[in-house]
């Protein structure tokens, strides 16, 4: 499954994920001591986030659903890999208590009679310690590991709050007319976290 999406390190990432799930208060040991999954895994092209947004009256009693995509071809067209808000620390206000990530793969597996719905994500890191003074939006950029590769990891689906919308930070140059929206992730080096996309995002990403 990892090789199919260009991430052959997926088994190691799953092993690290499993160790933290089963030992949340322990430091990560040598990777060889982490549990290994030998049962089949199953991949999915999307997942649905259900969340409570009482300020948005368009939902039934404040409840909303949004679909998150991670597919190599959306509606027989280009790939679509959505971004998401991931819970970091619920005691911190707004975006300070969140991570931002791009979903590369939805998948699930069983280990010792426990079902794990997961996502392989690519992480973003914040630029600065506060929102942009001009726009009021937080800024992020791709996070990289020590080898200079994009930082990826496996997370439980319970940690995903809802989809996130990013806006490329354009700089002083004009955006080419032939730039396709599906290339936005690679065309820009940094992004605004769009808190104006809807009511709930405005309450989350302040």
């Amino acid at each position: 499954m990892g090789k199919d999406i260009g991430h052959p390190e997926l088994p190691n990432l799953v092993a690290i994920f499993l160790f933290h799930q089963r030992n949340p208060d322990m430091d990560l040991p040598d990777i060889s001591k982490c549990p290994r999954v030998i049962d089949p895994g199953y991949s999915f092209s999307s997942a649905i986030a259900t969340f409570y947004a009482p300020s948005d009256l368009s939902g039934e009693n404040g409840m909303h659903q949004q679909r998150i995509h991670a597919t190599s071809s959306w509606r027989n067209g280009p790939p679509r890999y959505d971004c998401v808000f991931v819970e970091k620390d619920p005691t911190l206000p707004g975006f300070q208590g969140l991570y931002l990530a791009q979903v590369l793969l939805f998948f699930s597996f069983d280990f010792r009679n426990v079902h794990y719905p997961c996502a392989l994500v690519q992480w973003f890191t914040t630029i600065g310690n506060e929102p942009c003074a001009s726009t009021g939006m937080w800024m992020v950029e791709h996070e990289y590991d020590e080898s200079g590769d994009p930082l990826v990891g496996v997370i439980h689906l319970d940690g995903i709050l809802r989809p996130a919308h990013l806006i490329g930070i354009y700089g002083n140059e004009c955006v080419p007319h032939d730039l396709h929206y599906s290339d936005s992730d690679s065309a820009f080096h940094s992004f605004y976290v769009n808190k104006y996309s809807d009511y709930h995002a405005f309450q989350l990403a302040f």
Side-chain angles (χ1 to χ4, degrees):
M1 189 184 299
K3 291 179 180 178
D4 288 342
I5 61 169
H7 286 277
E9 75 277 19
L10 181 60
N12 286 342
L13 296 175
V14 170
I16 294 171
F17 163 79
L18 266 179
F19 177 84
H20 286 308
Q21 287 286 304
R22 297 168 62 85
N23 308 279
D25 298 322
M26 293 180 60
D27 294 331
L28 181 68
D30 185 88
I31 186 68
S32 63
K33 297 181 181 180
C34 292
R36 292 286 171 170
V37 178
I38 58 175
D39 292 335
Y42 303 91
S43 63
F44 307 91
S45 60
S46 66
I48 295 177
T50 302
F51 53 91
Y52 181 56
S55 62
D56 190 346
L57 301 180
S58 62
E60 183 176 353
N61 297 321
M63 296 303 296
H64 292 263
Q65 288 186 336
Q66 291 188 355
R67 186 173 293 273
I68 306 167
H69 299 84
T71 176
S72 59
S73 179
W74 184 58
R75 296 185 176 180
N76 297 318
R80 177 171 176 175
Y81 297 98
D82 289 343
C83 294
V84 292
F85 293 111
V86 180
E87 188 175 48
K88 177 174 64 175
D89 185 348
T91 66
L92 295 177
F95 191 65
Q96 297 178 55
L98 301 173
Y99 293 113
L100 194 87
Q102 183 180 31
V103 180
L104 305 178
L105 175 71
F106 287 115
F107 67 102
S108 66
F109 61 90
D110 294 327
F111 183 78
R112 295 186 179 178
N113 298 319
V114 178
H115 183 67
Y116 293 95
C118 303
L120 174 68
V121 300
Q122 180 173 313
W123 295 107
F124 289 85
T125 184
T126 56
I127 301 174
N129 298 317
E130 58 186 14
C132 171
S134 299
T135 65
M137 294 184 286
W138 285 87
M139 298 178 290
V140 296
E141 60 187 0
H142 287 294
E143 189 169 359
Y144 297 92
D145 60 21
E146 295 177 352
S147 301
D149 297 319
L151 186 64
V152 296
V154 171
I155 62 173
H156 199 286
L157 288 192
D158 286 349
I160 295 178
L161 296 182
R162 54 153 293 160
H165 181 246
L166 302 185
I167 303 173
I169 298 179
Y170 311 110
N172 297 322
E173 299 181 1
C174 295
V175 177
H177 291 287
D178 58 351
L179 176 64
H180 197 269
Y181 67 86
S182 62
D183 297 321
S184 298
D185 180 62
S186 58
F188 297 99
H189 297 292
S190 53
F191 305 85
Y192 290 117
V193 181
N194 184 11
K195 68 176 183 179
Y196 303 110
S197 58
D198 58 48
Y199 289 99
H200 190 233
F202 190 82
Q203 292 183 320
L204 275 180
F206 63 86

